[in-house]
Amino acid sequence: MTFYLGLTGSIGMGKSTTAGIFAQAGCAVWDADAAVHRLYAAGGAAVARMQEAFPAAIVVGAVSREALKQILADDPAAFARLESIVHPLLAADRQEFKDTATSDILVFDIPLLFETGGDAAMDAVACVRVDATTQRARVLERGTMTEAQFEQILAKQMPIDEKCARADFVIETDTLDHAKTQVSAILDQIRQTQTKPDLGGKTSADA
């Protein structure tokens, strides 16, 4: 029986690194951001429809995220059109992953899992977290966004305390070794309880 584990968290909290730990432990991982990159790349499934809806976003046969970001900044109402194109394609990509992956535990790395209601399709959800100071430092050290852009993204995401309260597992990403220990504990618990109807509520990965 295949187990579906959602993995979420807020920006800069170590979700991608944690997804990598799950992959190293033998789980198949579906990355929502990577899927969008595939859809937007030259020849990707979203390009033709994006060409029709947002011609200015197409650069050298691919969707330019920078151009698209500007379009959405100028016309916030365009978000609904964008979602109507991308969400069904993402769902199809995710379904293909489910149909072809062979691991006993499939991990779905989805930043807005709770915000989009995607948690309903999961058997359990793990949420990564770290203190706000570390989070801010991690994001700004990347050099890919301003502090104002970081605050805008935070404003669109569910507060991390609420995400953690709704999750079955919480993974502290203060250090890599700590995160690895918690991932191992989560996988052990899932495999021990796969034949049971539920995991008995939110669990500390350090338990």
Side-chain angles (χ1 to χ4, degrees):
M1 179 179 174
T2 304
F3 191 95
Y4 296 161
L5 178 66
L7 177 65
T8 194
S10 296
I11 183 173
M13 290 199 165
K15 183 174 55 57
S16 295
T17 298
T18 304
I21 297 172
F22 276 107
Q24 291 169 5
C27 300
V29 177
W30 184 80
D31 183 330
D33 286 338
V36 171
H37 278 289
R38 289 194 297 274
L39 295 175
Y40 284 0
V47 175
R49 292 195 58 191
M50 293 290 284
Q51 174 78 58
E52 295 176 3
F54 308 104
I58 306 301
V59 178
V60 196
V63 179
S64 165
R65 286 197 170 203
E66 287 304 311
L68 186 59
K69 186 185 300 183
Q70 187 58 54
I71 291 169
L72 295 174
D74 294 338
D75 180 17
F79 271 104
R81 272 185 294 154
L82 175 64
E83 290 176 346
S84 72
I85 294 170
V86 174
H87 284 185
L89 295 174
L90 275 176
D93 190 276
R94 187 168 59 247
Q95 187 60 51
E96 181 180 1
F97 167 77
K98 289 180 178 179
D99 292 342
T100 58
T102 58
S103 302
D104 61 330
I105 298 173
L106 305 187
V107 177
F108 296 82
D109 177 354
I110 305 176
L112 300 179
L113 182 69
F114 286 124
E115 291 87 340
T116 59
D119 56 303
M122 301 296 144
D123 293 308
V125 174
C127 183
V128 299
R129 74 168 301 150
V130 75
D131 66 87
T133 300
T134 301
Q135 176 192 26
R136 182 177 298 272
R138 285 177 178 174
V139 172
L140 297 182
E141 282 170 4
R142 296 172 185 170
T144 57
M145 69 177 65
T146 65
E147 190 159 355
Q149 290 172 325
F150 168 60
E151 293 293 345
Q152 288 174 347
I153 291 174
L154 274 185
K156 293 178 181 178
Q157 296 185 337
M158 182 183 295
I160 190 61
D161 287 344
E162 185 176 346
K163 288 189 177 187
C164 289
R166 293 179 60 176
D168 300 280
F169 304 102
V170 176
I171 303 172
E172 297 286 347
T173 63
D174 46 351
T175 70
L176 184 60
D177 284 344
H178 190 198
K180 287 181 177 179
T181 299
Q182 293 167 87
V183 167
S184 179
I186 289 170
L187 294 178
D188 285 347
Q189 182 170 347
I190 288 174
R191 288 179 172 129
Q192 289 169 6
T193 59
Q194 266 188 292
T195 57
K196 298 178 182 179
D198 61 57
L199 294 172
K202 185 163 70 73
T203 304
S204 167
D206 290 316

